[in-house]
Short mmCIF file of all heavy atoms in Angstrom, two decimals:
data_model
loop_
_atom_site.label_atom_id
_atom_site.label_comp_id
_atom_site.label_asym_id
_atom_site.label_seq_id
_atom_site.Cartn_x
_atom_site.Cartn_y
_atom_site.Cartn_z
N GLU Y 594 73.97 -64.33 -43.03
CA GLU Y 594 73.53 -63.12 -43.68
C GLU Y 594 72.83 -63.40 -45.05
O GLU Y 594 73.38 -64.18 -45.80
CB GLU Y 594 74.79 -62.23 -43.97
CG GLU Y 594 74.46 -60.83 -44.39
CD GLU Y 594 73.84 -59.99 -43.32
OE1 GLU Y 594 74.51 -59.74 -42.26
OE2 GLU Y 594 72.64 -59.57 -43.48
N SER Y 595 71.63 -62.87 -45.22
CA SER Y 595 70.80 -63.11 -46.39
C SER Y 595 70.46 -64.59 -46.64
O SER Y 595 70.14 -64.99 -47.75
CB SER Y 595 71.28 -62.40 -47.64
OG SER Y 595 72.55 -62.87 -48.02
N ARG Y 596 70.60 -65.41 -45.57
CA ARG Y 596 70.15 -66.82 -45.67
C ARG Y 596 69.31 -67.15 -44.46
O ARG Y 596 69.55 -68.17 -43.77
CB ARG Y 596 71.37 -67.76 -45.79
CG ARG Y 596 72.21 -67.59 -47.04
CD ARG Y 596 73.18 -68.77 -47.12
NE ARG Y 596 74.18 -68.76 -46.06
CZ ARG Y 596 74.49 -69.84 -45.33
NH1 ARG Y 596 73.92 -71.00 -45.58
NH2 ARG Y 596 75.38 -69.78 -44.37
N ALA Y 597 68.36 -66.34 -44.18
CA ALA Y 597 67.53 -66.44 -42.98
C ALA Y 597 66.85 -67.82 -42.94
O ALA Y 597 66.72 -68.46 -41.88
CB ALA Y 597 66.51 -65.36 -42.87
N ASP Y 598 66.34 -68.28 -44.05
CA ASP Y 598 65.61 -69.62 -44.04
C ASP Y 598 66.54 -70.75 -43.65
O ASP Y 598 66.10 -71.64 -42.98
CB ASP Y 598 64.92 -69.81 -45.37
CG ASP Y 598 63.70 -68.93 -45.51
OD1 ASP Y 598 62.92 -68.89 -44.52
OD2 ASP Y 598 63.55 -68.24 -46.54
N ALA Y 599 67.81 -70.65 -44.11
CA ALA Y 599 68.77 -71.69 -43.73
C ALA Y 599 69.01 -71.67 -42.24
O ALA Y 599 69.14 -72.70 -41.61
CB ALA Y 599 70.06 -71.52 -44.49
N TYR Y 600 69.06 -70.46 -41.68
CA TYR Y 600 69.23 -70.35 -40.21
C TYR Y 600 68.05 -70.96 -39.48
O TYR Y 600 68.20 -71.62 -38.49
CB TYR Y 600 69.49 -68.91 -39.76
CG TYR Y 600 69.65 -68.70 -38.29
CD1 TYR Y 600 70.72 -69.38 -37.66
CD2 TYR Y 600 68.75 -67.99 -37.51
CE1 TYR Y 600 70.87 -69.26 -36.24
CE2 TYR Y 600 68.94 -67.84 -36.14
CZ TYR Y 600 69.95 -68.51 -35.47
OH TYR Y 600 70.12 -68.38 -34.15
N VAL Y 601 66.86 -70.67 -39.99
CA VAL Y 601 65.64 -71.19 -39.40
C VAL Y 601 65.65 -72.74 -39.45
O VAL Y 601 65.28 -73.43 -38.49
CB VAL Y 601 64.35 -70.63 -39.99
CG1 VAL Y 601 63.11 -71.33 -39.50
CG2 VAL Y 601 64.29 -69.09 -39.68
N ASP Y 602 66.20 -73.27 -40.58
CA ASP Y 602 66.32 -74.74 -40.67
C ASP Y 602 67.26 -75.25 -39.58
O ASP Y 602 66.94 -76.23 -38.88
CB ASP Y 602 67.01 -75.14 -41.99
CG ASP Y 602 66.08 -75.05 -43.18
OD1 ASP Y 602 64.83 -75.05 -42.94
OD2 ASP Y 602 66.54 -74.99 -44.32
N LEU Y 603 68.34 -74.59 -39.34
CA LEU Y 603 69.30 -74.99 -38.29
C LEU Y 603 68.63 -74.97 -36.97
O LEU Y 603 68.76 -75.91 -36.14
CB LEU Y 603 70.51 -74.02 -38.30
CG LEU Y 603 71.54 -74.24 -37.17
CD1 LEU Y 603 72.37 -75.44 -37.41
CD2 LEU Y 603 72.43 -73.02 -37.00
N LEU Y 604 67.84 -73.91 -36.66
CA LEU Y 604 67.13 -73.80 -35.39
C LEU Y 604 66.21 -75.01 -35.18
O LEU Y 604 66.17 -75.60 -34.13
CB LEU Y 604 66.29 -72.54 -35.37
CG LEU Y 604 67.01 -71.17 -35.33
CD1 LEU Y 604 65.93 -70.08 -35.35
CD2 LEU Y 604 67.79 -71.08 -34.01
N CYS Y 605 65.48 -75.34 -36.27
CA CYS Y 605 64.40 -76.34 -36.13
C CYS Y 605 64.91 -77.74 -36.10
O CYS Y 605 64.42 -78.57 -35.38
CB CYS Y 605 63.39 -76.17 -37.28
SG CYS Y 605 62.54 -74.61 -37.30
N THR Y 606 65.95 -77.97 -36.93
CA THR Y 606 66.40 -79.39 -37.08
C THR Y 606 67.50 -79.74 -36.13
O THR Y 606 67.67 -80.94 -35.78
CB THR Y 606 66.84 -79.68 -38.54
OG1 THR Y 606 67.93 -78.79 -38.85
CG2 THR Y 606 65.73 -79.45 -39.50
N ARG Y 607 68.34 -78.75 -35.73
CA ARG Y 607 69.44 -79.12 -34.83
C ARG Y 607 69.40 -78.44 -33.51
O ARG Y 607 69.43 -79.13 -32.45
CB ARG Y 607 70.76 -78.75 -35.54
CG ARG Y 607 71.43 -79.94 -36.19
CD ARG Y 607 72.92 -79.64 -36.50
NE ARG Y 607 73.69 -79.33 -35.32
CZ ARG Y 607 74.82 -78.60 -35.34
NH1 ARG Y 607 75.20 -78.09 -36.47
NH2 ARG Y 607 75.48 -78.36 -34.22
#
Side-chain angles (χ1 to χ4, degrees):
E594 191 69 64
S595 62
R596 293 193 296 132
D598 286 312
Y600 180 62
V601 172
D602 284 342
L603 174 75
L604 291 177
C605 298
T606 60
R607 259 198 62 206

